[in-house]
């Protein structure tokens, strides 16, 4: 597996997103654990989760963190190089609703609860999940800096951030911002400025929903004919071409496709072996949704 870097840690060029294993429509636990083990067996060393990846019920908070921790504990191979990245500050108080809590004290409590669920003394990468309009952004990020200094977390990141917030976070953290996790895919390209800024600053950029989201990933080739055309030419799936395209955007890009079946993550893991020609990249950059 080709490698990329987050902070001072080398990780697989493709990570595993855990969200589909814990929200509505999730598979049974055995299938989820099989999916995680398939990823680890094939070189994945980055797994992304969050305390908010659960069904909309209070007793479900941290479901995905606990699931991933259990799967890693039960894995038969070496787990020393695995980086589990989690997030805090986003909540699911009820079905269909999301909320934010960026208060520093809350984030500190949430991080310690996540560490306990993950079974670690210090979280490898902790990310502020989403800006809270009720709290100054620098104050929320400041809590990450304090947790870095206290050893509660080893690296700090942010998610769903704009360029000004990226600059603010990196300044507040004294240049220690390790990652930015934003939505980016053939369908959602408005995070291109954030990706370019991360490339400039040398900060890892982790596209979430890199295939267009749970509801759209399977139809990527139908929606974007250029991705399907190049996929046929290369003998791979349109999803693999999308991940390869993202990887070639910059060496700081580490896509984290969500998966709930071993076959899905194994397909995604072929993307780093696909080298797109400049004319392919130009075509994909200009690709528009197919006419309905």
């Amino acid at each position: 597996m080709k490698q990329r870097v987050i902070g001072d840690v080398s990780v697989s060029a493709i990570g595993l997103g855990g969200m589909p294993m814990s929200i509505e429509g999730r598979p049974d636990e055995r299938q989820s654990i099989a999916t995680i083990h398939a990823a680890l067996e094939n070189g994945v060393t980055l797994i992304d989760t969050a305390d908010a990846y659960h069904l909309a019920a209070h007793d479900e908070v941290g479901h995905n963190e606990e699931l991933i921790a259990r799967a890693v504990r039960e894995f038969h191979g070496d787990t020393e190089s695995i980086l589990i990245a989690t997030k805090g500050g986003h909540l699911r108080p009820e079905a269909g609703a999301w909320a934010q809590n960026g208060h520093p004290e809350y984030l500190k409590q949430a991080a310690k609860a996540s560490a306990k669920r993950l079974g670690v003394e210090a979280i490898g990468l902790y990310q502020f999940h989403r800006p809270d309009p009720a709290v100054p952004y620098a104050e929320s990020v400041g809590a990450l800096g304090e947790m870095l200094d206290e050893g509660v977390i080893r690296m700090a990141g942010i998610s769903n951030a704009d360029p000004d917030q990226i600059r603010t976070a990196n300044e507040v953290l004294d240049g220690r911002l390790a990652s930015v996790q934003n939505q980016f895919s053939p369908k959602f390209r408005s995070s291109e400025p954030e990706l370019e800024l991360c490339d400039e600053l040398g900060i890892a950029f982790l596209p979430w929903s890199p295939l267009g989201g749970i509801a759209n990933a399977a139809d990527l080739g139908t929606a974007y004919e250029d991705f399907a055309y190049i996929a046929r030419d290369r003998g791979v799936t349109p999803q693999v071409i999308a991940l390869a395209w993202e990887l070639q955007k910059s060496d700081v890009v580490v896509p984290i496709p969500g998966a709930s079946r071993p076959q899905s993550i194994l397909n995604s893991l072929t993307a780093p072996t696909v080298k797109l020609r400049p004319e392919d990249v130009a075509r994909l950059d200009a690709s528009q949704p197919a006419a309905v």
Side-chain angles (χ1 to χ4, degrees):
M1 171 65 70
K2 293 184 178 180
Q3 301 289 293
R4 295 269 162 114
V5 175
I6 300 177
D8 58 359
V9 177
S10 180
V11 300
S12 53
I14 298 287
L16 171 64
M19 185 177 182
M21 303 178 204
S22 292
I23 62 170
E24 289 74 10
R26 68 194 187 194
D28 65 61
E29 189 174 286
R30 287 176 300 175
Q31 181 174 318
S32 292
I33 290 177
T35 301
I36 297 167
H37 286 177
L40 299 180
E41 287 166 356
N42 287 275
V44 168
T45 56
L46 172 65
I47 304 178
D48 179 76
T49 183
D51 60 3
Y53 292 167
H54 59 80
L55 299 178
H58 291 294
D59 61 355
E60 276 262 327
V61 174
H63 177 276
N64 196 244
E65 292 174 324
E66 292 176 343
L67 174 66
I68 288 169
R70 183 159 59 254
V72 171
R73 284 197 306 271
E74 295 174 358
F75 184 60
H76 57 80
D78 181 21
T79 60
E80 286 298 315
S81 62
I82 298 170
L83 174 64
I84 300 178
T86 192
K87 300 180 286 295
H90 210 14
L91 302 83
R92 296 197 72 190
E94 57 187 50
W98 291 85
Q100 291 81 44
N101 190 337
H103 289 89
E105 288 309 311
Y106 171 79
L107 291 174
K108 292 177 184 179
Q109 293 170 7
K112 290 176 181 177
S114 289
K116 184 176 181 179
R117 286 189 289 265
L118 292 171
V120 297
E121 292 185 7
I123 295 172
L125 172 62
Y126 192 72
Q127 302 155 103
F128 179 35
H129 202 156
R130 187 175 290 273
D132 182 350
V135 181
Y137 196 70
E139 290 185 15
S140 298
V141 176
L144 302 186
E146 292 176 16
M147 288 190 281
L148 281 171
D149 295 337
E150 295 166 4
V152 176
I153 64 178
R154 292 195 292 109
M155 293 189 291
I158 55 177
S159 184
N160 301 298
D162 64 29
D164 287 342
Q165 289 165 336
I166 294 172
R167 294 187 181 92
T168 296
N170 202 36
E171 181 178 344
V172 170
L173 294 172
D174 296 323
R176 295 180 292 174
L177 181 63
S179 66
V180 173
Q181 184 177 146
N182 275 21
Q183 185 175 12
F184 188 81
S185 69
K187 179 181 179 181
F188 191 95
R189 307 189 191 199
S190 62
S191 283
E192 191 95 41
E194 289 84 359
L195 191 162
E196 292 173 355
L197 179 58
C198 285
D199 179 74
E200 175 188 330
L201 298 175
I203 296 168
F205 183 86
L206 315 181
W208 62 264
S209 288
L211 302 177
I214 296 171
N216 301 295
D219 297 325
L220 191 152
T222 303
Y224 292 88
E225 294 176 350
D226 292 311
F227 284 82
Y229 177 86
I230 294 174
R232 288 192 296 271
D233 180 60
R234 298 303 183 87
V236 298
T237 66
Q239 291 78 12
V240 166
I241 293 299
L243 295 173
W245 169 69
E246 291 164 21
L247 286 168
Q248 286 190 217
K249 287 282 183 182
S250 167
D251 288 341
V252 303
V253 174
V254 186
I256 45 172
S260 58
R261 298 182 302 121
Q263 301 95 312
S264 297
I265 188 60
L266 293 180
N267 182 58
S268 293
L269 294 183
T270 63
T273 67
V274 176
K275 181 66 175 177
L276 299 173
R277 298 179 291 263
E279 58 268 30
D280 295 331
V281 174
R283 180 170 183 168
L284 296 175
D285 283 345
S287 181
Q288 297 295 317
V292 177

